[in-house]
Amino acid sequence: MTHTNTPRKYVIANWKMHGDLAHNQALLDRYVSQLSDLKGTQVVVCVPYPYLAQAQAKLQGTGIAWGAQNLAKNEDGPFTGEVSAQMLCDFGSQYVILGHSERATAYCESDENIAQKFMVAKKHGITPILCVGETLIEREAGVMELKVGKQLDAIIDLYGVEVFQNTIVSYEPIWAIGTGLAATPDQAKAMHLFIKGKLMQVNATHENSVKILYGGSVNPQNALQLFMVEHIDGGLVGKCSLNAQEFEGICQAAESCQE
Ligand code: 13P
C-alpha cells in the first residue's frame, strides 16, 4: 500500500484486547455509517486477530481500512500462537501496529525484534504503524529524544532510513497512554519535529510519505488542538475508539483541521 493520493490525516483505532462479536458489530456499523465519507482522513481499525474476518466483512468497500496489532517476525513454521503477515493479508489487513509499549513491556519485545517485524510487514505490503515513546522517568530525566532516537535507529541501522517510506510512526509517550493525561501540543510538536528530522535524511518526497501520528489519551476534547499542530498527521486512539460517539468526534476533528 502506498500513500499516493495520500490523505492528510489518519485516525487509527487501537481496540487492544477489547470487544466481542456483538459489540464489534454495533461499533463497526456506527463507524461505517458515520465515517465512510470523510474526505481528507483515512480511518483505520486495528482489531484483535480473531475479529479480522469480521472487520473485513463489515468494512470491505467502505473506505475504512483495518489491520492487526502485531505480527510474527517469521514467515511461517513451528511458532505456536504466532500469526504471520501472510495470514493478515488473507483477511485484507492493510495495516499493523508494531512495537506498542504494552507489548514491549509485557512480552519483552526488543527493538531488534520490532525492526524485523517492520520489514516483514513491508515485504507483504502491509503498512507498519511503528510505536515509539518514552516513560515518565525518561521524560523527567530529559532523555526522551535519546529513547525515541534509539527506537528508530534499531530499524535505520539494520535496513536504512529509506524503509520508512510509506510507513506510519506513532509517538506514544508511555505516561500518556490510558492515563487521561495527553502530551501538550508543544510537547508533541517537539517530538514530532525530532522524529521528522531523523527520518527526512533522504529527501522531501520521502519525508512526505512518512506519517507521524500522536497517541496517548486522545479524546474529542483535545483532538483538534493536537491535530492542528504542524507535523502531527493524526492520532492512534485507544479507549475512545471503543465508543462510537467519541471516536467520531476525534475523526471529525481530523477532518475539520484539513487545509
Ligand atoms: P489511549 O487512547 O487509551 O490512551 O491509548 C493510546 C494507545 O495506546 C494507542 O495505541
Side-chain angles (χ1 to χ4, degrees):
M1 161 116 195
T2 65
H3 294 150
T4 351
N5 294 326
T6 187
R8 301 191 62 79
K9 298 282 185 205
Y10 280 75
V11 179
I12 302 183
N14 176 6
W15 282 3
K16 307 192 179 182
M17 198 177 72
H18 294 290
D20 57 49
L21 280 175
H23 182 262
N24 300 349
Q25 189 87 353
L27 194 52
L28 291 172
D29 278 341
R30 276 286 294 270
Y31 278 20
V32 170
S33 69
Q34 303 295 323
L35 304 172
S36 290
D37 295 329
L38 300 183
K39 298 282 176 282
T41 306
Q42 175 66 59
V43 177
V44 181
V45 193
C46 292
V47 303
Y49 291 138
Y51 302 123
L52 281 171
Q54 187 185 26
Q56 183 177 33
K58 277 264 140 206
L59 300 175
Q60 193 114 54
T62 65
I64 299 174
W66 62 96
Q69 303 168 15
N70 185 29
L71 54 64
K73 67 177 179 179
N74 303 93
E75 294 285 345
D76 70 348
F79 302 106
T80 304
E82 290 290 272
V83 173
S84 72
Q86 185 52 52
M87 293 171 188
L88 299 190
C89 291
D90 278 349
F91 292 93
S93 314
Q94 291 180 329
Y95 295 85
V96 65
I97 295 172
L98 294 177
H100 194 286
S101 58
E102 286 158 7
R103 292 201 54 79
T105 42
Y107 306 103
C108 306
E109 279 207 290
S110 67
D111 287 346
E112 197 189 17
N113 258 7
I114 294 162
Q116 286 172 299
K117 291 179 178 189
F118 189 93
M119 280 312 284
V120 171
K122 286 214 75 177
K123 189 175 152 207
H124 286 264
I126 302 173
T127 302
I129 303 159
L130 176 76
C131 299
V132 296
E134 80 284 358
T135 63
L136 186 57
I137 292 173
E138 287 162 340
R139 175 157 283 268
E140 285 173 350
V143 296
M144 54 272 187
E145 290 186 356
L146 260 177
K147 167 73 175 288
V148 170
K150 187 169 161 288
Q151 290 174 312
L152 297 172
D153 280 338
I155 293 175
I156 296 170
D157 290 351
L158 279 175
Y159 307 114
V161 75
E162 297 83 359
V163 298
F164 279 93
Q165 276 184 49
N166 300 316
T167 67
I168 297 174
V169 175
S170 184
Y171 170 50
E172 304 214 317
I174 295 168
W175 46 270
I177 295 175
T179 60
L181 186 76
T184 64
D186 280 350
Q187 286 171 324
K189 182 177 183 179
M191 185 59 85
H192 280 236
L193 260 175
F194 169 74
I195 295 170
K196 210 139 224 181
K198 258 193 101 63
L199 299 184
M200 62 175 262
Q201 292 162 21
V202 181
N203 58 41
T205 316
H206 168 63
E207 181 198 355
N208 289 334
S209 79
V210 186
K211 295 291 174 187
I212 306 178
L213 312 188
Y214 168 79
S217 296
V218 176
N219 62 40
Q221 288 73 44
N222 63 22
L224 183 60
Q225 219 193 356
L226 285 162
F227 297 166
M228 294 282 282
V229 173
E230 203 188 349
H231 306 305
I232 296 189
D233 299 314
L236 183 55
V237 184
K239 183 163 164 281
C240 287
S241 70
L242 300 167
N243 176 302
Q245 205 177 345
E246 290 183 329
F247 192 59
E248 282 157 35
I250 294 167
C251 293
Q252 291 302 344
E255 191 70 353
S256 70
C257 65
Q258 318 276 333
E259 283 166 1

